[in-house]
Every structure is written in structure tokens, then in C-alpha cells.
Amino acid sequence: MAKHKIGWLPGDGIGIEVCAAARVVLDRLGFDAQYVEGDIGWECWRQEGDAFPQRTVDLLKRVDAAMFGAITSKPVKAAEAELIPELQGKGLVYRSPIVRMRQLFDLYVCLRPCKAYPGNPINFKEGIDLVVFRENTEDLYAGVEFNPVPQELADTLGHLSKSFAPFQKLPADEYAISCKINTRRGSERIARAAFEFARAHGRKKVTIVHKANVVRATDGLFLEAARSVAKEFLDIQVNDANIDAICMWLLKNPFDYDVLVAPNLYGDIISDLCAQMVGGLGFGCSGNIGAHLAVFEPTHGSAPKYAGQNKVNPLATILAAKMMLDWLGESDMAVRLEEAVVAVIAEGNVRTYDMGGANTTMEMAEAVASKL
Ligand SMILES: NC(=O)c1ccc[n+]([C@@H]2O[C@H](COP(=O)([O-])OP(=O)(O)OC[C@H]3O[C@@H](n4cnc5c(N)ncnc54)[C@H](O)[C@@H]3O)[C@@H](O)[C@H]2O)c1
């Protein structure tokens, strides 16, 4: 029997190619795994009306960890229009499978390391080494949304909040409401994950990202909860910054930051910003981590314009596989894999188009594998 059981969910578009590339590398490493392939994404939506079918949910209950490629998603109306004729008009509503997966399996940590590997020609600056902890299940991604807004809700909000007055007389379909919901427990546990990581990895500082001066209720609670957790980690410096200001400061002085922790939406924003500083989507890797399951993925999407061309950079997915190895306790393999990536980037002989080269997805995977 294999040592690890791994869910394998390539999804759509380039997700399929980058997962195949990561598999070449994992196989060359001698990673002892049984891979269980699962369906997810656009074709599941079109043919079955569910982008994350129950059989894939069940599969994830039976594995130690999973790799996920990328999926295509579209706004609600465009998604409905692409359903097969038998499923049209049945009231099916598209919801992102990865957001659902994070909530269903309580994958509350979104961990996004952003390291500028030496010699990568598209590094913003050499030496950047940031780690983003994004809360992954709450906030504006809670899925509590109204469009049109029910009268009952409008009446209640009008009754409870003076600030709602300018909206109260609007026709129901002339505005929409998305609820930002943050809990003390959710805020504390993501903060604790960030501080524990900082301590375990010799990191010096954690920056709490928020907008508590304006979004006082939810971000105020997030900041207060994170600050209270910080008191348990007196060996780690702590500071906080507004989401708008930090986008500017991160670009100006990236070396002033180390570990960053943020609610869901701000974490989404800063992790893309940080990923761009270390080479962009071809390098952005991510772990969705809960108490019982972790799912690793590149942060990019299905990039339809490059699908099937064997052209995109697989390093984000290969680095996501490295994160999976770390999480599974295969630290030795994780170190070897990262060293192989470092060597390929530093040599500069094999580069995909985003790095200014002309090598294919598989050539990059083979180059990394050849170093193992
Ligand atoms: N987690 C996910 O699965 C995820 C994330 C983002 C977007 N999406 C979905 O993906 C689809 C396409 O979205 P998009 O075009 O806005 O974003 P995308 O990330 O798929 O691609 C945007 C552009 O980034 C570049 N790029 C992406 N991955 C790359 C790689 N590995 N190597 C080199 N260059 C790369 C390409 O130029 C590409 O056209 C949409 O349906 C979107 O909803 C899914």
C-alpha cells in the first residue's frame, strides 16, 4: 500500500497541464503515493449542474491531502447559459467549487509563500521573501448575498442602521448586498496560525492587515482578535496596516515585511500583489489548510487562451506540490524539490514564456526533475 493517498483534481484548461507537469516531478522524487483522480470544474457544471459534484466531495473525505489545478468560472447568468439544455431553467446557481471546498472542509488557512528565487528575470526585486496568511472561509466570501434585495431585509436594515437610509427607498433590483461576516474564532485561529508559523520558521514579524478605521465592526473585530493572539507570542514583533496603505508600502519597501495576516478579501488582494513581486502567476502557490485536510494549488486560473498549448509555467504547481510534501511531513523531499527549482531558475537555461523564454510546460518539469 502506498504511504500517502492524494486527491488529484486537475480541473480545467491549463490546470490539466500544470498538474501533469507536477506529477512528473513528484514521480521522479519517488513520492510514495496513490493518486485518486476527481472531477471538478466547468464540464461538471455544464453536464451535471454542479461544478463540485458529491462524488468529488466524498473523495476528499478519503484522502490525506489533495492537489488542485484550476477551474474556469463565470458570472451566474453566463454560467446558466452554458448548462446543457436539459438543465436550463431549473434554478441551478453556479458557485465557485474552490470557495465551497474551503468552507465545506473548513480549510481556514490560505497559506501563500512568496519567495523571489535568485536569478528569476521577472522578480520585482531579488531577496523578497514574504508569507501571506489569508483567512479562507469567512468575510465577504461567506456567500451571504442578495440581488435583488428582499424587502424584509431592507426593512430590518432601515430599522437597525441610520446609515442604510440612502439605500432604503431604492427598488429591490437597483442595488445588491454582500455580507462581510467575520467571527472572533475565525480571526483568532488565522492569527494564531500566522504567529505559530512565524515562530516555527524563525520569522521576526507579523503584520495584521485590515481597514478597521472605516470597516469598524468586522475589521475592528479582526484587528482586536489578532492583537489579542499576538500577546501569546512576545518573541514575534507585531504591527498592523490598512489594506490600501500596505499595497503601496509592500511595493515600496518589501523588505520591511515578513509574515502578513489578513481577512479573506484583503488576503486575496495582497497575496496576488506579493505573487507578482516574485514572478507573477507562474510562481504563485497556495495551500488551503484545515485540521483534517489540506488542498494545494497554484493561485492562477485556467487561462483558457493558453489551454492545451503546453506553454504555461508549471513552477507554481510544482511549488504547491512542495508545500504538500511539507504538510505531509516529507520535509526531506520538500527541501530537495525546492533546491531543484532553485537550481533551474538560477541556471536560466530553461524558461517558459512568462520568464522571457520559449520552453514548454513539460520541458520545465523535466528540467526540475533532472535535478532530483
Ligand atoms: N483557483 C482557480 O481555479 C482560479 C483562479 C483565478 C481564476 N480562475 C478562473 O480562470 C479563468 C481564467 O481567468 P483569468 O484569465 O482571469 O486568470 P488566469 O490566472 O487563468 O490567467 C490570467 C493570465 O495570467 C497568465 N498566467 C496564468 N497562469 C500562468 C502560468 N502558469 N504561467 C504563465 N502565465 C500564466 C496568462 O497570461 C493568463 O492569460 C476564469 O474562468 C476564472 O474565473 C480560477
Side-chain angles (χ1 to χ4, degrees):
M1 215 174 85
K3 187 169 171 195
H4 303 288
K5 199 167 183 180
I6 305 298
W8 198 257
L9 314 177
D12 301 315
I14 62 165
I16 297 165
E17 295 152 59
V18 292
C19 279
R23 200 56 173 267
V24 166
V25 173
L26 286 169
D27 288 349
R28 194 73 57 88
L29 257 180
F31 178 53
D32 184 9
Q34 177 198 351
Y35 295 97
V36 193
E37 296 247 354
D39 300 324
I40 194 163
W42 200 243
E43 273 315 292
C44 298
W45 163 254
R46 286 194 59 248
Q47 303 292 337
E48 306 172 38
D50 188 354
F52 185 30
Q54 187 59 41
R55 61 182 178 282
T56 307
V57 174
D58 292 340
L59 178 160
L60 287 177
K61 292 178 186 161
R62 290 184 274 114
V63 296
D64 304 323
M67 285 287 297
F68 168 69
I71 42 109
T72 297
S73 62
K74 298 190 183 177
V76 171
K77 285 185 183 140
E80 198 194 343
E82 290 198 27
L83 284 169
I84 56 167
E86 298 87 305
L87 294 177
Q88 303 249 348
K90 296 212 159 161
L92 294 166
V93 178
Y94 181 84
R95 252 197 100 194
S96 158
I98 186 74
V99 174
R100 265 171 68 203
M101 186 192 297
R102 287 166 181 159
Q103 288 171 346
L104 200 58
F105 289 91
D106 200 21
L107 307 177
Y108 66 94
V109 173
C110 184
L111 170 58
R112 295 190 168 181
C114 299
K115 196 189 278 189
Y117 288 105
N120 182 355
I122 48 176
N123 281 339
F124 173 61
K125 284 182 184 160
E126 289 286 345
I128 294 176
D129 186 5
L130 299 161
V131 181
V132 179
F133 276 78
R134 163 188 171 194
E135 200 291 321
N136 218 13
T137 57
E138 307 188 336
D139 200 55
L140 267 169
Y141 295 59
V144 184
E145 306 196 278
F146 303 92
N147 180 13
V149 177
Q151 192 57 43
E152 195 185 349
L153 179 61
D155 291 345
T156 305
L157 289 173
H159 178 63
L160 293 177
S161 170
K162 284 197 184 107
S163 304
F164 192 68
F167 308 105
Q168 200 172 3
K169 297 274 181 311
L170 290 172
D173 57 357
E174 284 296 316
Y175 70 124
I177 295 178
S178 299
C179 296
K180 175 166 159 68
I181 305 177
N182 301 76
T183 67
R184 188 176 301 281
R185 172 177 174 264
S187 307
E188 282 177 358
R189 66 181 182 169
I190 190 67
R192 188 162 285 109
F195 280 97
E196 278 172 355
F197 177 94
R199 184 176 275 168
H201 293 83
R203 299 271 179 165
K204 302 269 174 295
K205 181 160 135 189
V206 173
T207 302
I208 307 161
V209 180
H210 61 87
K211 185 72 182 174
N213 57 336
V214 177
V215 190
R216 292 188 304 266
T218 46
D219 284 359
L221 181 141
F222 185 86
L223 178 58
E224 183 193 312
R227 282 257 174 214
S228 76
V229 169
K231 292 187 185 135
E232 298 166 28
F233 296 85
L234 295 176
D235 49 324
I236 310 287
Q237 283 178 50
V238 59
N239 67 349
D240 67 89
N242 284 329
I243 175 64
D244 47 344
I246 202 160
C247 290
M248 196 177 67
W249 290 118
L250 272 169
L251 273 183
K252 191 162 184 285
N253 301 326
F255 304 109
D256 285 356
Y257 299 94
D258 192 344
V259 176
L260 301 128
V261 61
N264 211 334
L265 178 62
Y266 308 148
D268 202 359
I269 293 167
I270 54 169
S271 48
D272 270 20
L273 173 60
C274 294
Q276 189 56 40
M277 291 199 285
V278 300
L281 288 169
F283 294 84
C285 54
S286 162
N288 303 279
I289 302 169
H292 306 291
L293 178 72
V295 180
F296 299 87
E297 55 165 334
T299 57
H300 61 72
S302 62
K305 76 175 178 192
Y306 291 121
Q309 294 178 30
N310 191 24
K311 180 168 176 169
V312 296
N313 192 343
L315 287 179
T317 314
I318 290 171
L319 290 167
K322 179 249 170 216
M323 293 177 74
M324 177 179 76
L325 294 170
D326 269 328
W327 190 77
L328 290 167
E330 298 285 5
S331 333
D332 182 45
M333 283 191 193
V335 169
R336 281 171 55 214
L337 178 47
E338 188 172 32
E339 284 172 356
V341 170
V342 166
V344 170
I345 293 174
E347 283 174 13
N349 296 327
V350 178
R351 287 178 173 169
T352 44
Y353 85 94
D354 54 317
M355 302 169 77
N359 291 103
T360 65
T361 307
M362 267 308 163
E363 282 166 353
M364 178 58 93
E366 286 296 345
V368 174
S370 72
K371 302 283 178 200
L372 292 166

